[in-house]
Amino acid sequence: MSRHCLALSGAAALLLTAGPAAAQTGAAVSDPQRAMLWFLLSTLVLVLLVFLLLFVALISWMRPQLRQLYNLPTVHDTWSGRVLGLLVGDARLVKGEVRDELLDHNYDGIHEFDNDLPPWWKYGFYLTIVFAIGYVGYYHVLKTGQLQGAEYAAEMQQAALLVASTPDDPNQLTTYTVLTAPADLSTGKSLFATNCAPCHGANAEGKVGPNLTDEYWLHGGEVNHVYKTVKYGVNGKGMVAWKGKLSGKQILQVTSYVLSLQGSKPANAKPPQGEKEAPAVAKR
C-alpha cells in the first residue's frame, strides 16, 4: 500500500512540475493529460483517506491496550504519555492539568475557579519571547541584519543597477539646450507639421493632444522634459514614442520649435491642461 502511495505521489508531483514548464514554452496541456492528472490526484486523496480510516480503526481496536500502557506510572506523566493520552481520550496536553479547581476564597458569594492556560498557548508564548530576544540581538545589538530602511535603500540601489545607464534610458534626463538657429527651427517646424499637427494642431493650439503654446504642461515644460516626452511617449495617454522614427537631433529640433511657440496665442486654443510652469533652459 505504501509503495502504491509513493508511486502516485511521484507521478502527481511530476505532472505538477511539468505543467509550468509546458506553459512557459507555450504548449497547452491536452484534455487527456488533464484528466490523468485529476485521476491521479483523486486516487492519492482516496488512498490518504483509506490510511486515515485504517489508523482510526487501529486506534479504536487497540484502545484497551493503549489505556493500560497510559496508566503505567512511568508513562502517565511523561511527554510521550501525554501524547498517548490524546489517543485514549485524555486531553491534558491540549487543555492543561488544572480544570475548574475551586479556590479557597470568594467575593460576595462569587467563587473563583482556577484553570491552567492551554499548554500549546504557553509554549507559543515562550517561543515569542525567545524570538523577540533573538530579533533584538540580531538586528539592534549585533546589528548583523538590515532594518527596513536599510533593506529599502539596498533594494532601490540594486534596482537602479538593473536600469542601463545609456542614452536610451528613460530615467536618465538629458542636458540639452534649446536650439535657436533658423535652420533647426525650420526643420523642427516641418517635422511638427508632418508628425505632430494631426494631434496638436497646425499651430500647436491643441486638438486631441494638449495646447503646447501656453505655460501649462502635463509632463514638464523644460526642454529636456519635452524632449523625453517626444522621444519615449506617454503610455496610455495617446502620445506615441518617436524614438526610432526620428533621430535624436530631429527630436531636439521639434522640441525647440515647440518651445519657440510659447506665448504665441493661436486662434481656437485648447484650454490649459496640467501644471503652470515656466520653461527653464538647461546648461550643458
Side-chain angles (χ1 to χ4, degrees), residues 173-174 219-231 255 277:
L173 199 62
T174 55
H219 308 288
E222 194 268 334
V223 56
N224 293 284
H225 289 100
V226 178
Y227 180 92
K228 175 182 176 181
T229 303
V230 176
K231 183 174 182 179
T255 300
E277 178 182 343

Side-chain angles (χ1 to χ4, degrees), residues 7-8 31 39 42 57 64 93 112 120 144 182 186 213 235 242 262 270-271:
L8 290 174
D31 290 337
F39 172 76
S42 302
L93 184 63
E112 183 178 357
W120 62 266
T144 304
S186 177
T213 65
N235 290 332
W242 292 98
Q262 290 292 287
K270 194 174 182 179

Side-chain angles (χ1 to χ4, degrees), residues 87-260:
L87 301 178
V88 296
D90 188 348
R92 286 187 305 155
L93 184 63
V94 177
K95 295 182 178 180
E97 295 281 352
V98 180
R99 301 297 299 171
D100 296 336
E101 179 178 312
L102 182 62
L103 299 179
D104 58 354
H105 58 274
N106 64 79
Y107 299 94
D108 297 330
I110 300 175
H111 296 281
E112 183 178 357
F113 290 90
D114 185 22
N115 290 283
D116 274 347
L117 289 171
W120 62 266
W121 189 95
K122 291 190 292 186
Y123 295 136
F125 179 69
Y126 299 150
L127 182 62
T128 61
I129 295 175
V130 174
F131 175 82
I133 294 174
Y135 182 91
V136 172
Y138 183 77
Y139 287 99
H140 295 280
V141 178
L142 300 178
K143 296 183 178 180
T144 304
Q146 290 182 329
L147 295 177
Q148 291 181 345
E151 284 186 352
Y152 176 77
E155 290 176 359
M156 293 300 293
Q157 183 178 7
Q158 184 178 9
L161 295 176
L162 298 176
V163 179
S165 181
T166 65
D168 286 333
D169 178 8
N171 296 314
Q172 183 181 13
L173 199 62
T174 55
T175 56
Y176 295 128
T177 56
V178 176
L179 301 176
T180 58
D184 290 322
L185 294 178
S186 177
T187 301
K189 181 178 180 180
S190 176
L191 292 170
F192 182 90
T194 303
N195 302 295
C196 309
C199 289
H200 293 281
N203 299 310
E205 71 275 12
K207 288 185 177 179
V208 178
N211 177 9
L212 302 178
T213 65
D214 55 26
E215 296 179 324
Y216 291 83
W217 297 88
L218 292 170
H219 308 288
E222 194 268 334
V223 56
N224 293 284
H225 289 100
V226 178
Y227 180 92
K228 175 182 176 181
T229 303
V230 176
K231 183 174 182 179
Y232 297 104
V234 182
N235 290 332
K237 298 295 184 180
M239 177 62 188
V240 300
W242 292 98
K243 181 183 71 170
K245 303 172 185 177
L246 300 177
S247 66
K249 185 175 182 179
Q250 288 176 322
I251 295 176
L252 183 57
Q253 288 171 332
V254 171
T255 300
S256 300
Y257 171 71
V258 167
L259 293 177
S260 71

Side-chain angles (χ1 to χ4, degrees), residues 4-5 7-17 32-50:
H4 179 61
C5 181
L8 290 174
S9 300
L14 181 60
L15 288 174
L16 288 174
T17 53
Q33 288 177 327
R34 187 179 293 107
M36 179 62 68
L37 174 62
W38 283 111
F39 172 76
L40 291 175
L41 291 177
S42 302
T43 305
L44 178 60
V45 172
L46 180 61
V47 170
L48 293 177
L49 288 176
V50 170

